[in-house]
């Protein structure tokens, strides 16, 4: 019973923090706001996370661990089953992220948190993300480089950054692309993914 209660409290804190970070940013959210939203005391936050910096990191970890694992597993399948092809590599990068965002499952707020990470200057968070997940884009860069031997490293990394930016925009459901009436979330996600993969593949080959 104690373990269940502890997990529930930790999950409530993470959920509240994610919502508030999405709405107010990292600097604009206080631990007092988090405890109020989660209906817990500050001692619970200190017990589970120790500091606001660790809380921010754990908000990312609970989503990014799974997405990163899915990306790398799909990448390995792409390299084994369709060697030398760019589109399956890009799909391995795109599909798990869009599944998380468009499929929602409570993850809509986290998409906005990712956008905050791009625009806010938070050196500690960027260091954490680089240390924990930097190997993922590097593995994709290596796979793409093998398909594009004439493309220099700087150009390759720049285009991978462009893909990541476009993907984040699509995940956040900004812009002109909206789900048409009568179209399911799954159909909309498949269409968006296909368009982004084709667009990005052409960019990598340019």
């Amino acid at each position: 019973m104690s373990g269940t209660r502890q997990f529930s409290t930790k999950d409530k804190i993470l959920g509240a923090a994610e919502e508030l970070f999405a709405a107010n940013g990292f600097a604009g959210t206080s631990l007092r706001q988090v405890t109020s939203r989660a209906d817990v005391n500050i001692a619970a936050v200190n017990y589970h996370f120790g500091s606001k910096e660790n809380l921010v990191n754990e908000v990312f970890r609970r989503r990014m661990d799974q997405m990163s694992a899915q990306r790398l597993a799909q990448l390995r399948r792409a390299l084994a089953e369709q060697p030398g092809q760019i589109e399956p590599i890009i799909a391995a990068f795109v599909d798990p992220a869009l599944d998380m965002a468009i499929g929602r499952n409570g993850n809509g707020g986290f998409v906005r948190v990712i956008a905050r990470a791009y625009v806010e200057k938070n050196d500690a968070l960027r260091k954490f993300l680089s240390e924990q997940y930097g190997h993922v884009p590097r593995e994709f860069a290596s796979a793409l480089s093998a398909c594009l031997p004439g493309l220099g490293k700087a150009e390759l990394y720049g285009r991978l950054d462009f893909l990541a930016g476009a993907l984040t925009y699509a995940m956040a459901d900004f812009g002109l692309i909206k789900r048409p009436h009568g179209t399911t979330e799954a159909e909309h996600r498949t269409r968006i993914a296909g368009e982004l993969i084709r667009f990005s593949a052409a960019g990598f080959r340019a």
Side-chain angles (χ1 to χ4, degrees):
M1 181 65 71
S2 177
T4 301
R5 183 166 57 251
Q6 288 177 1
F7 174 79
S8 177
T9 299
K10 182 176 181 179
D11 199 55
K12 283 169 59 179
I13 295 168
L14 287 169
E18 183 175 284
E19 291 176 7
L20 289 166
F21 293 152
N24 306 325
F26 307 112
T29 298
S30 68
L31 286 181
R32 186 173 298 278
Q33 289 173 307
V34 173
T35 57
S36 177
R37 177 68 63 90
D39 193 24
V40 300
N41 57 42
I42 193 68
V45 176
N46 291 332
Y47 173 77
H48 288 290
F49 304 102
S51 68
K52 180 179 173 182
E53 180 180 314
N54 286 338
L55 174 59
V56 172
N57 293 346
E58 290 304 314
V59 166
F60 277 85
R61 192 193 302 276
R62 76 166 179 161
R63 306 293 192 192
M64 300 253 333
D65 279 2
Q66 180 180 6
M67 184 176 72
S68 296
Q70 290 173 341
R71 277 175 161 172
L72 294 177
Q74 190 170 334
L75 176 61
R76 287 191 290 270
R77 289 195 300 271
L79 296 177
E81 297 170 6
Q82 297 174 280
Q85 299 297 309
I86 295 176
E87 284 82 359
I89 296 172
I90 298 174
F93 190 80
V94 167
D95 288 342
L98 285 180
D99 281 343
M100 180 185 71
I102 296 179
R104 299 308 177 197
N105 296 322
N107 299 332
F110 183 64
V111 176
R112 296 191 296 277
V113 174
I114 292 175
R116 291 281 189 181
Y118 272 98
V119 300
E120 288 193 23
K121 182 175 175 55
N122 187 322
D123 292 336
L125 174 59
R126 292 186 180 187
K127 182 175 184 291
F128 169 80
L129 293 176
S130 176
E131 291 175 349
Q132 296 295 316
Y133 307 106
H135 66 287
V136 177
R138 287 194 293 271
E139 290 202 33
F140 277 89
S142 177
L144 287 165
S145 180
C147 301
L148 301 162
L151 190 63
K153 182 177 180 179
E155 289 79 10
L156 175 63
Y157 274 74
R159 294 176 195 192
L160 191 55
D161 275 349
F162 296 156
L163 168 59
L167 176 58
T168 301
Y169 194 85
M171 288 168 66
D173 198 26
F174 292 139
L176 302 177
I177 304 175
K178 303 297 181 185
R179 179 164 65 92
H181 180 72
T183 301
T184 67
E185 289 282 6
E187 291 169 340
H188 182 54
R189 172 235 172 273
T190 299
R191 173 172 170 261
I192 295 298
E195 292 287 348
L196 181 54
I197 290 163
R198 285 191 292 273
F199 179 82
S200 300
F204 277 106
R205 291 189 176 104

